[in-house]
Structures are given as structure tokens and as C-alpha cells.
Amino acid sequence: METRIVFHIDFDYFYAQCEEIRKPELKSKPVCVCVFSDRGGGSGAIATANYTARKFGVKSGIPIVFAKKRLEDQKDAVFLPVDFDFYISMSEKAMEIMENHADIFEYVGKDEAFLDVTEKVSGDWEKAKKLALAIKNEIKDKLNLTCSIGISPNKLISKIASDFEKPDGLTIVIPEKVEGFLEPLKIRDIPGIGSKTEESFSQMNLQTIKDLKGLDVFKLNKEFGRKSGTYIFNAVRGIDNEPVKKREPNTQYSKIMTLKKDSMEFNFILDNLKQLCNEVHQVVLNKNKMFKSVGIQVIQSDLSNKTKSKMLKNPTLNLEELEKNVEQLLKEALEEQKIPLRRVGVKVSELSDIRDQSSITSYF
Ligand code: DGT
Ligand code: CA
Ligand code: CA
């Protein structure tokens, strides 16, 4: 196989940066973006935080109460609820810019993508660096958003490299430097290696990628199974032949209807929404997709329009789960509703292919 040039582009502290972009006065403050749970009050988890908040130990996934404790002395700290619709609109614009610069563009998630640019830069690493800078500048100029880019001969190393000099980073690992780049890194830096695997290696007194090279593939397969064992064996040697596959941003599937009468009546509206759930679910099944985000749209009798959405823990294609979440969103919507609804809609987004289990991060 000829040498490829692959970019991994990842937006910096994405949700929190989106919030800073629309409210620039936040930039100097610790910013935490929160997923408040259904239980109300302050319970829930941190989706992400800006780098100022991270200095105080706030990170993705920790409970909001922990974050508040860690930022107790920071009187200017800000805690904001997630606004997925806004982040998705930012993401779509940035993805379009990136896609225009790629031979092959692979959308991975709201804040990251792979680009194969081998032909575009005629296999020239200097040109690749210039192209990466041009992409960074265009995204910054048009959207005010910063990202980090990793450049290497494959997806695995580029993914590691984009994380290497975050935020606003650019890390190039040419083929001759792959070994030197990887060896000193921690085992944990390999995508897909979680704390459990790291712990098993730690018990064998292995800490770095270099240390792992001492293990033969048979030992790794025995310890972790053939699939994961082979993945680790190749990964520590910088081997990854996975092509960049054309994949566009997951848009969404939605259905909308006009109610027989304008209404604020929970059961009547829910019956209609359930019918829409069925229709949307059918579309998702036909397309072989799973969804991770569920939303409703309500259009009021004065024609003003509101949406509510919710991120699920895992991708699903379960109709009951769809209905349950739609019911919850309707409850929330009606609580703050003052005038009757005329039209209602259901949408699912954050779609993934059912068969798409081969990405490097889903091995474990
Ligand atoms: P970084 O390290 O500068 O790339 O920071 P982020 O925040 O962009 O981190 P990344 O790339 O791992 O995740 C992208 C977005 O995904 C992030 O802005 C929020 C969301 N996210 C990440 N981890 C979690 C989590 O544990 N819970 C929830 N609800 N959302 C998360
Ligand atoms: Ca990111
Ligand atoms: Ca990411």
C-alpha cells in the first residue's frame, strides 16, 4: 500500500467553546457545560469544561456537585445546561469546511473527523502541513472555533497526534518518526485502552507503549482475546490499515404533524407523538441505523417554535426507549407551556450504522 496522509481533526473543549463563542465574556471564566439529570436540583454530570475550569480539576463525566466543590473559590465560575442544537449547528458548519479540503471525508462524531488528503497534497508532508494550517485558519476565521489536528500515515496515529498538543494543536508524525513518537507515550494514550486494560498492564509493570513491545501477539491474544490482542500488538507498532471511509455528518430523521385540535392536554398530545415515534422508528430501521439523541418539536398556536432534546447513554433502536424519552420531553415542554400546541414533531439524531463496529475506538 502506498503511504497515505491522514488527518484527525478534533475541536477543542467543544461544547464549552461553543458557549464561549456566543458569549465572549465567558472566555476568561471557568465554564462548565452540564447535563442536569431528571431528578432536578443540581444533580447530573459535567459534559465538558473549558481549560480554565480544567485547571481546577473539572473534567467530562464528573458529577456537577464535584465540579461545584472544586470551583468553590472561583466566584466567576459558570455552569450552563447543554444546548445540543446549537453545538450541532456549529459542528455542521465546521464539518462542511473540512469536507471541502479532503479527498475522503469521514465524520466520526459532532467534534471530530478523519480526512484522507493523500492525493490533494500529492503525498507531500510539507504541503499537508500547509493544508492543515489553512483548514485551522478557515474554521477560526469563519466560526471563531479552534481545533487540534494530528497528521500521520494512518487513523490510529493521527488520532493520538491530534490529542498531543491540545488546544489549538498541530502535530505531524511522518513515517520515519512514528516509532519515536509512540514509544514514550503512556499505554492509556492508545485509543480504546481503558482503565481496566491499563490496570492489567500496570500489574505486569508495563507503563509505556515501548514497554508493550516486549509482549508477543500470542501472550496478548491470550490475555485480551484475539481481536483486542491483535489490535494492541499492531497499535504499539503504529500499524493501522483501516481506510478513511466516506461518511457524512449524521443528520437526523424527523416527522411532524398537525394536531386535530390545538391542545395542551398531555394524553392527547402523547398519543399523537407515539404515532410519530412509530413512523420515525420505521425509517431508522429501514436505514439500518441506531440513534443516540431524541428530540421533540412543538409549534404553538401563534406559530412560534420550540425544540427539546435529550442525549441517551448508548445508541439504541428500541421503540419503547424512544417513546419513553419523548414522553419525558413532552412532560417538560408542557410544564413551561402557556398557550396551546398546534403541531408536534419527533426527531432522532446522533445516528450510527448498526454494522459499524469496526472503528478503532469501539474494540473494547
Ligand atoms: P478536548 O479535550 O479539548 O477535545 O475537549 P472536548 O470537550 O472536546 O472533549 P472530547 O473531544 O472528548 O468530547 C467532545 C464533546 O463530547 C465534549 O465537548 C462534550 C461531549 N462529552 C465528552 N465526554 C462526555 C461525557 O462524559 N459526558 C457527556 N454528557 N458528554 C461528554
Ligand atoms: Ca474535542
Ligand atoms: Ca472528540
Side-chain angles (χ1 to χ4, degrees):
M1 189 155 72
E2 65 160 331
T3 305
R4 296 177 292 154
I5 301 188
V6 174
F7 289 4
H8 180 256
I9 308 186
D10 187 290
F11 308 149
D12 303 320
Y13 62 105
F14 183 50
Y15 298 177
Q17 197 183 171
C18 288
E19 296 295 346
E20 288 182 358
I21 289 166
R22 66 173 162 188
K23 294 194 208 86
E25 70 274 13
L26 294 177
K27 270 204 174 294
S28 57
K29 306 173 180 176
V31 177
C32 305
V33 177
C34 308
V35 185
F36 291 103
S37 77
D38 304 338
R39 264 177 293 138
S43 70
I46 299 295
T48 196
N50 68 358
Y51 283 75
T52 311
R54 288 184 198 192
K55 275 194 277 180
F56 299 98
V58 177
K59 54 183 182 183
S60 298
I62 68 167
I64 296 167
V65 283
F66 288 13
K68 291 207 159 144
K69 188 104 194 84
R70 288 173 197 175
L71 290 168
E72 193 163 48
D73 298 329
Q74 267 39 63
K75 295 294 172 236
D76 56 348
V78 184
F79 295 82
L80 301 168
V82 284
D83 179 354
F84 291 120
D85 291 335
F86 178 58
Y87 313 147
I88 289 171
S89 75
M90 288 292 288
S91 169
E92 282 171 353
K93 289 177 197 144
M95 292 288 168
E96 198 186 315
I97 294 172
M98 287 156 31
E99 187 169 3
N100 284 335
H101 291 288
D103 299 320
I104 311 169
F105 177 79
E106 180 175 339
Y107 173 92
V108 179
K110 269 200 289 299
D111 90 321
E112 61 187 282
F114 289 108
L115 284 66
D116 189 314
V117 300
T118 316
E119 282 178 33
K120 235 183 190 119
V121 302
S122 328
D124 180 327
W125 295 89
E126 269 309 310
K127 279 193 196 148
K129 181 177 176 180
K130 288 206 179 97
L131 176 61
L133 284 170
I135 294 173
K136 276 167 73 86
N137 285 335
E138 190 176 340
I139 295 176
K140 179 77 186 161
D141 289 347
K142 292 193 170 143
L143 304 172
N144 219 356
L145 184 73
T146 69
C147 62
S148 297
I149 305 188
I151 307 180
S152 85
N154 64 47
K155 287 160 76 167
L156 171 77
I157 303 166
S158 294
K159 170 120 183 141
I160 299 172
S162 70
D163 208 38
F164 194 66
E165 291 175 280
K166 244 179 187 307
D168 205 8
L170 176 60
T171 302
I172 307 187
V173 187
I174 58 171
E176 299 75 48
K177 304 269 180 180
V178 165
E179 196 173 343
F181 173 71
L182 290 177
E183 285 195 341
L185 297 181
K186 290 200 210 67
I187 292 170
R188 190 61 190 267
D189 293 327
I190 301 171
I193 295 218
S195 47
K196 249 177 76 189
T197 314
E198 186 183 35
E199 181 54 34
S200 339
F201 285 127
S202 174
Q203 277 169 14
M204 297 181 234
N205 209 8
L206 306 170
Q207 320 293 344
T208 65
I209 290 184
K210 184 171 190 205
D211 295 341
L212 279 197
K213 282 194 176 168
L215 301 180
D216 63 49
V217 72
F218 303 106
K219 168 125 177 107
L220 283 166
N221 288 353
K222 204 170 134 226
E223 194 79 21
F224 302 103
R226 200 168 63 88
K227 198 172 176 192
S228 300
T230 310
Y231 169 70
I232 295 171
F233 183 83
N234 286 328
V236 298
R237 288 162 180 78
I239 298 169
D240 170 32
N241 292 323
E242 197 69 32
V244 177
K245 288 190 274 303
K246 184 173 158 58
R247 186 165 169 234
E248 273 161 33
N250 288 319
T251 42
Q252 54 182 47
Y253 299 120
S254 63
K255 293 272 176 190
I256 188 154
M257 69 183 295
T258 304
L259 298 168
K260 290 236 161 62
K261 54 172 202 259
D262 291 0
S263 169
M264 301 218 320
E265 200 189 315
F266 179 76
N267 285 319
F268 170 70
I269 300 171
L270 183 60
D271 283 347
N272 285 284
L273 281 174
K274 282 197 170 160
Q275 194 186 317
L276 295 177
C277 284
N278 240 311
E279 294 174 19
V280 170
H281 184 248
Q282 205 51 53
V283 176
V284 174
L285 281 185
N286 290 340
K287 302 261 182 192
N288 274 315
K289 301 281 185 192
M290 316 223 315
F291 52 90
K292 196 162 176 255
S293 172
V294 172
I296 62 168
Q297 182 181 11
V298 300
I299 296 161
Q300 311 178 104
S301 48
D302 66 357
L303 297 186
S304 61
N305 187 332
K306 278 198 285 190
T307 60
K308 274 192 169 290
S309 63
K310 197 171 165 211
M311 191 65 83
L312 311 178
K313 282 225 164 61
N314 296 301
T316 180
L317 42 70
N318 185 302
L319 177 60
E320 269 114 68
E321 197 173 353
L322 174 60
E323 291 177 339
K324 203 185 75 207
N325 283 288
V326 163
E327 180 170 346
Q328 178 62 34
L329 290 169
L330 175 64
K331 234 180 244 159
E332 290 169 20
L334 286 180
E335 270 164 23
E336 48 199 56
Q337 193 60 32
K338 300 212 170 55
I339 52 177
L341 303 182
R342 176 189 297 259
R343 307 185 75 204
V344 293
V346 168
K347 73 159 198 219
V348 296
S349 55
E350 294 292 308
L351 305 163
S352 53
D353 281 342
I354 295 179
R355 289 160 287 117
D356 188 25
Q357 292 304 325
S358 60
S359 91
I360 47 176
T361 46
S362 58
Y363 269 96
F364 291 79

